[in-house]
Amino acid sequence: MRKRILFATVIVAILFAIFGAVAWAQGVLTSIRSDALVVCASDAYEATHCDYTTDGVADEVQIQQALNTRKSVRLTEGTFRLSNSIVMKSGTSLEGAGWGLGPQYSMGGTRLTQSASFDMFINEHMGTPTIDDYISLSDMWLDCDTPEGLPGASCIRFGRVAVVTLERLIINSPGVNGLEIVGYSLTQPAFAIYADTLEMARADVAAIKLSYVIASKFSNINYTGASPAQYGIYLDSYVKNVEWNNLYLELADITAAIYIMNDVSNNFFTNT
């Protein structure tokens, strides 16, 4: 009995420390966002105070330049058209102007589209992740809808990361996965992934796919599945101590709402 109590105490302490890292990173994000560079869309309604202005063809160029220059970048309302992936560097934040207003959020807001199938967001390769390697994406519409699709690609694909914050995103990803987080190994997993308020639709294999991920939290996830999607949530190898709150999975011709593979434990689901 004493061993069980001691083990439980250790686990709680570890989780508290890691979720404390998430809170710490969110505090850091609040401070760095006040010094953000502004990237304006080519069709932005209010194109003033722009540090960069996109050309409407390969807008990832200006976005990447801003991310390489400063830790925090803001995108104006408007449509950003991408011809290649955006690489999120360690310790960076990219914030849009929201989803938009009106029917299907058709007015205003920040929308990113792509002209071919590729991972829209990836992260730079790094060594063993630490809490200083945070990445943040928030307040935008990611439209990864391409004619041909690319099996195995994802709208967001992060690996070897720690303290990732994803908030208030629409992820439309027919032909590719929605969100994929892949840690490096059993000894170097991704950890402290915090996702809140994701509207997801029409993924290829899975809306969310996790491998080698520990001590993370996903809340308020709405997924509308459609053929040929196979899974809502796909938990691959070594996914442990992950909390899932308020999941809504609307399925259509789908293999499984939640699919669990190898060495997955202590995943807690509430209001699903």
Side-chain angles (χ1 to χ4, degrees):
M1 178 63 73
R2 290 182 178 178
K3 289 183 178 180
R4 290 182 179 179
I5 293 174
L6 178 60
F7 178 75
T9 302
V10 171
I11 292 297
V12 169
I14 293 173
L15 293 177
F16 181 80
I18 292 177
F19 283 113
V22 175
W24 170 87
Q26 289 175 329
V28 171
L29 289 172
T30 300
S31 63
I32 68 172
R33 282 172 176 167
S34 63
D35 190 35
L37 289 174
V38 177
V39 179
C40 293
S42 59
D43 61 351
Y45 178 76
E46 184 66 32
T48 59
H49 308 293
C50 305
D51 296 294
Y52 298 87
T53 300
T54 60
D55 61 9
V57 178
D59 296 344
E60 75 281 355
V61 173
Q62 289 78 26
I63 296 173
Q64 195 67 63
Q65 288 175 347
L67 287 168
N68 293 345
T69 302
R70 196 167 297 175
K71 290 183 176 296
S72 182
V73 174
R74 288 178 178 166
L75 303 180
T76 64
E77 48 79 27
T79 299
F80 294 84
R81 296 173 177 84
L82 311 181
S83 63
N84 210 338
S85 302
I86 295 173
V87 181
M88 295 297 295
K89 298 172 67 67
S90 174
T92 54
S93 166
L94 184 63
E95 180 182 13
W99 296 353
L101 303 172
Q104 299 183 334
Y105 309 108
S106 59
M107 297 180 292
T110 300
R111 188 165 188 161
L112 278 67
T113 67
Q114 57 192 70
S115 58
S117 289
F118 48 81
D119 300 326
M120 182 177 282
F121 284 98
I122 58 177
N123 67 300
E124 65 176 354
H125 295 288
M126 60 184 72
T128 302
T130 70
I131 60 174
D132 294 319
D133 296 321
Y134 61 84
I135 292 173
S136 174
L137 292 174
S138 64
D139 299 290
M140 63 188 80
W141 177 315
L142 309 182
D143 196 347
C144 300
D145 187 359
T146 56
E148 69 278 13
L150 180 63
S154 298
C155 199
I156 301 173
R157 184 199 297 272
F158 290 155
R160 259 189 179 177
V161 290
V163 195
V164 172
T165 301
L166 305 168
E167 295 179 293
R168 300 175 298 279
L169 300 175
I170 293 178
I171 302 176
N172 181 38
S173 56
V176 299
N177 295 315
L179 167 64
E180 184 172 3
I181 305 288
V182 183
Y184 183 66
S185 66
L186 294 175
T187 56
Q188 296 184 31
F191 66 88
I193 313 301
Y194 175 77
D196 190 0
T197 313
L198 306 185
E199 296 283 341
M200 312 183 75
R202 304 171 60 203
D204 176 30
V205 175
I208 298 176
K209 184 177 181 181
L210 304 181
S211 302
Y212 300 109
V213 174
I214 65 170
S216 299
K217 184 175 182 179
F218 293 78
S219 300
N220 304 309
I221 312 296
N222 294 330
Y223 173 60
T224 303
S227 182
Q230 298 179 41
Y231 312 106
I233 309 297
Y234 188 113
L235 305 181
D236 203 346
S237 302
Y238 197 74
V239 181
K240 298 178 179 290
N241 300 312
V242 178
E243 182 179 346
W244 303 84
N245 297 321
N246 299 325
L247 303 185
Y248 178 77
L249 307 176
E250 181 180 336
L251 311 176
D253 190 23
I254 200 167
T255 303
I258 300 172
Y259 188 73
I260 297 176
M261 285 288 286
N262 303 314
D263 199 14
V264 174
S265 63
N266 293 337
N267 279 256
F268 304 97
F269 293 87
T270 58
N271 297 328
T272 300

